[in-house]
């Protein structure tokens, strides 16, 4: 499925970020992410504000060159042709840089790979759903006689909402509902294969999402990015519940009792130690691992989540901290920074397209905004020293936890720096002779 971690570091074939260089033995899917450009029918999504800036400066350079040429030909002011030519060349290079980065997104980024080989460039979105499902089913059938880990990262319920014809119009909730219906069918197919191969009672299955609904994704009055119910905020908001609270559904017949509801805060980071535990391995002891095994909680041998604190980031910036008080069971959350909603009070960053993590797009809070999630899951009523007797005590304990947490962090290069976001031809995955990067799996097989 969707890997979204990139591919190369220094050369086109080093594949330093590829799944096969990070512990996986087989890969089929998108090395990048799914954006509107892949479909080619919706407005561009990738770095829209950056594209607008690039285009603005390109227009200024074109206007400057045009003015100088007119001035030179009409003898309005003296200027050397050499200067005009140099400026025109700079403008052309600037335009190529912009257009290469974003004009060819469909061909550069919307690709499918099997292991280290590109199978489709650009990918055929009409066949992607069936292709991914077939690959997952074949993987189960190939590995049914030995322990296996299958990680399926679906392209569904992610804009653009790629939905096959069979499921279009099925839901009363529009295209998003149709997409959910198809995702449900895909998961059902995988569960059917597990059952058919008699693996039901020996297979631990965990279903979840990586973030809440994308509120800013709209077309007219249609909501394309999901809905977060009573929870404030959405995708891209590192602290608000609507951005980070997602369902976790576990299936393991014969081991875990059906119908059990566990109302305890856990994390997707818990998958790693849980899988290691199931495989009989040991989590590395030479570093702080933030995840906790879910098995004691799921089996009922422990009543409380092992996470006393959870730290919620937006990019590299700590936006909020959750404290699950062990004695009382109360869940507190302190917000150090929150996105500035546009328009104000709208609950999302509609004018920006997605909420930023820093700069003038966020508000810093001192003292932090404090909420009692046990009583106020919608985060509607911030507490203060005047309204909450425990305010000072809670903030002191959270502050100490943040200090201890920061001691465990190791600085890493900024992955989302402007340099890392510029298209680099020498790193571009290509299935043909660059820049003619076009291929389809059927042609490759032929």
């Amino acid at each position: 499925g969707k890997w979204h971690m990139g591919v190369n570091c220094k050369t086109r074939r080093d594949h330093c970020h590829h799944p096969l260089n990070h512990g996986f033995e087989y890969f089929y899917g998108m090395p990048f992410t799914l954006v509107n450009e892949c479909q080619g029918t919706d407005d561009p999504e990738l770095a829209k504000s950056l594209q607008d800036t690039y285009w603005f400066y390109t227009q200024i350079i074109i206007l400057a060159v045009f003015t100088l040429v007119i001035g030179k030909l009409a003898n309005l002011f003296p200027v050397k042709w050499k200067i005009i030519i140099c400026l025109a060349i700079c403008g052309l290079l600037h335009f190529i840089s912009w257009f290469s980065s974003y004009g060819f997104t469909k061909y550069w980024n919307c690709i499918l790979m099997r292991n280290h080989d590109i199978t489709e460039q650009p990918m055929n979105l009409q066949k992607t759903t069936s292709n991914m499902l077939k690959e997952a089913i074949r993987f189960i059938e190939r590995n049914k006689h030995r322990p296996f880990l299958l990680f399926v990262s679906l392209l569904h319920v992610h804009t653009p909402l790629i939905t096959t014809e069979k499921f279009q119009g099925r839901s009363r909730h529009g295209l998003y509902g149709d997409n959910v219906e198809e995702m449900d069918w895909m998961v059902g197919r995988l569960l059917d294969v597990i059952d058919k191969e008699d693996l039901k009672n020996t297979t631990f299955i965990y279903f979840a999402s990586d973030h809440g609904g994308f509120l800013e994704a709209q077309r007219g009055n249609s909501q394309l990015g999901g809905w977060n119910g009573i929870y404030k905020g959405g995708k891209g908001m590192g602290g608000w519940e609507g951005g980070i609270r997602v369902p976790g559904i576990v299936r393991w017949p014969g081991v875990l009792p059906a119908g059990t509801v566990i109302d305890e805060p856990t994390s997707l980071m818990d998958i790693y130690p849980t899988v290691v535990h199931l495989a009989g391995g040991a989590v590395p002891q030479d570093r702080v691992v933030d995840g906790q095994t879910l098995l004691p909680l799921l089996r009922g041998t422990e009543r409380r989540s092992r996470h006393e604190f959870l730290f919620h980031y937006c990019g590299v910036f700590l936006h909020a901290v959750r404290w699950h008080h062990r004695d009382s069971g109360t869940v507190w959350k302190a917000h150090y920074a929150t996105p500035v909603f546009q328009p104000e009070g709208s609950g999302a960053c509609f004018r920006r397209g997605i909420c930023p993590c820093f700069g003038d797009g966020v508000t810093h809070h001192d003292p932090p905004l404090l909420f009692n999630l046990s009583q106020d899951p919608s985060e509607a009523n911030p507490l203060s020293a005047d309204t909450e007797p425990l305010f000072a005590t809670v903030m002191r304990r959270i502050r100490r936890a943040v200090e201890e947490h920061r001691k465990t962090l190791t600085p890493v290069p900024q992955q989302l720096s402007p340099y890392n976001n510029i298209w680099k031809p020498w790193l571009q995955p290509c299935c043909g002779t660059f820049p003619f990067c076009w291929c389809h799996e059927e042609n490759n097989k032929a």
Side-chain angles (χ1 to χ4, degrees):
K2 182 165 76 87
W3 175 241
H4 200 169
M5 301 296 286
V7 183
N8 301 316
C9 288
K10 295 180 180 177
T11 69
R12 189 171 293 144
R13 294 293 299 175
D14 65 27
H15 290 187
C16 67
H17 298 304
H18 194 282
L20 269 59
N21 279 332
H22 291 274
F24 289 92
E25 295 173 342
Y26 182 81
F27 171 66
Y28 179 82
M30 286 190 79
F32 305 119
T33 189
L34 186 64
V35 289
N36 287 343
E37 284 87 335
C38 294
Q39 195 170 29
T41 55
D42 294 325
D43 292 334
E45 178 181 4
L46 190 64
K48 190 174 187 313
S49 60
L50 190 59
Q51 290 186 63
D52 293 341
T53 303
Y54 265 122
W55 180 234
F56 174 72
Y57 286 123
T58 300
Q59 288 176 309
I60 289 178
I61 295 171
I62 291 171
L63 184 61
V65 171
F66 183 73
T67 304
L68 289 175
V69 169
I70 295 296
K72 175 72 173 175
L73 295 176
N75 291 319
L76 296 175
F77 42 78
V79 61
K80 294 181 178 178
W81 281 111
K82 189 184 291 185
I83 295 175
I84 296 175
I85 292 170
C86 285
L87 187 61
I89 292 172
C90 288
L92 181 63
L93 292 174
H94 187 275
F95 176 77
I96 290 172
S97 169
W98 165 74
F99 199 78
S100 295
S101 297
Y102 305 111
F104 283 110
T105 296
K106 182 173 182 176
Y107 298 94
W108 295 153
N109 292 342
C110 304
I111 63 178
L112 281 177
M113 297 183 78
R114 179 180 286 104
N115 293 324
H116 288 293
D117 299 320
I118 297 172
T119 60
E120 290 186 18
Q121 189 172 14
M123 60 196 284
N124 183 345
L125 292 177
Q126 299 307 312
K127 296 183 178 180
T128 303
T129 298
S130 59
N131 286 346
M132 296 230 179
L133 194 54
K134 285 175 189 171
E135 289 286 337
I137 291 172
R138 285 173 189 155
F139 181 87
I140 295 171
E141 291 171 346
R142 280 200 309 273
N143 294 280
K144 62 186 178 184
H145 296 302
R146 62 188 185 122
F148 64 83
L149 169 68
L150 171 61
F151 172 42
V152 182
S153 181
L154 299 168
L155 301 184
H156 281 61
V157 297
H158 185 295
T159 55
L161 297 167
I162 308 303
T163 310
T164 59
E165 224 172 280
K166 180 182 172 186
F167 284 89
Q168 289 175 15
R170 275 206 180 191
S171 167
R172 62 182 175 181
H173 297 291
L175 186 57
Y176 186 87
D178 297 342
N179 207 246
V180 172
E181 295 258 0
E182 186 165 39
M183 177 184 69
D184 181 60
W185 170 77
M186 291 176 73
V187 173
R189 283 291 310 278
L190 293 175
L191 295 181
D192 288 345
V193 173
I194 293 287
D195 295 351
K196 178 183 148 222
E197 300 295 347
D198 200 25
L199 300 171
K200 180 195 290 188
N201 293 333
T202 56
T203 305
F204 177 87
I205 296 169
Y206 186 88
F207 177 89
S209 176
D210 56 344
H211 54 67
F214 184 12
L215 300 181
E216 291 85 0
Q218 295 182 328
R219 183 191 296 147
N221 295 324
S222 299
Q223 177 65 34
L224 298 179
W227 180 63
N228 299 317
I230 66 168
Y231 303 112
K232 182 180 287 187
K235 173 183 175 177
M237 304 182 206
W240 293 121
E241 289 293 278
I244 52 182
R245 185 188 282 249
V246 297
I249 305 172
V250 177
R251 178 184 188 256
W252 196 3
V255 179
L256 304 178
T260 305
V261 177
I262 300 172
D263 187 18
E264 290 286 302
T266 61
S267 165
L268 288 180
M269 292 185 290
D270 298 337
I271 295 173
Y272 169 63
T274 302
V275 167
V276 170
H277 189 153
L278 286 169
V283 172
Q285 300 298 307
D286 61 344
R287 73 205 72 177
V288 174
V289 176
D290 294 316
Q292 302 285 346
T293 177
L294 294 170
L295 295 177
L297 195 61
L298 294 171
R299 284 174 166 153
T301 57
E302 293 182 6
R303 304 295 298 169
R304 296 275 183 224
S305 167
R306 292 187 178 183
H307 289 285
E308 185 177 6
F309 293 93
L310 285 169
F311 303 91
H312 303 303
Y313 281 80
C314 185
V316 297
F317 302 95
L318 181 64
H319 273 210
V321 179
R322 180 188 310 259
W323 179 27
H324 188 216
H325 195 278
R326 292 199 186 281
D327 297 329
S328 67
T330 302
V331 180
W332 304 91
K333 191 160 73 166
H335 288 262
Y336 291 93
T338 55
V340 177
F341 292 144
Q342 298 175 327
E344 189 177 346
S346 63
C349 302
F350 291 109
R351 289 178 191 156
R352 288 179 180 264
I354 192 166
C355 290
C357 297
F358 62 94
D360 61 359
V362 301
T363 301
H364 294 275
H365 303 284
D366 188 13
L369 296 180
L370 181 67
F371 297 93
N372 181 343
L373 294 184
S374 303
Q375 298 176 359
D376 181 23
S378 298
E379 299 173 284
N381 304 300
L383 304 171
S384 66
D386 297 329
T387 60
E388 175 52 64
L390 294 174
F391 184 87
T393 304
V394 172
M395 289 313 308
R396 248 193 326 268
R397 182 65 187 96
I398 290 177
R399 195 179 307 117
R400 192 161 78 246
V402 171
E403 290 169 0
E404 293 167 0
H405 164 69
R406 283 188 165 140
K407 290 176 186 174
T408 71
L409 302 179
T410 303
V412 296
Q414 172 58 273
Q415 293 296 307
L416 298 177
S417 66
Y419 175 76
N420 284 332
N421 274 279
I422 293 174
W423 177 67
K424 302 176 184 68
W426 59 93
L427 297 184
Q428 175 62 52
C430 183
C431 64
T433 303
F434 183 82
F436 305 105
C437 305
W438 291 282
C439 64
H440 294 284
E441 186 158 26
E442 290 82 359
N443 297 342
N444 292 345
K445 285 179 179 174

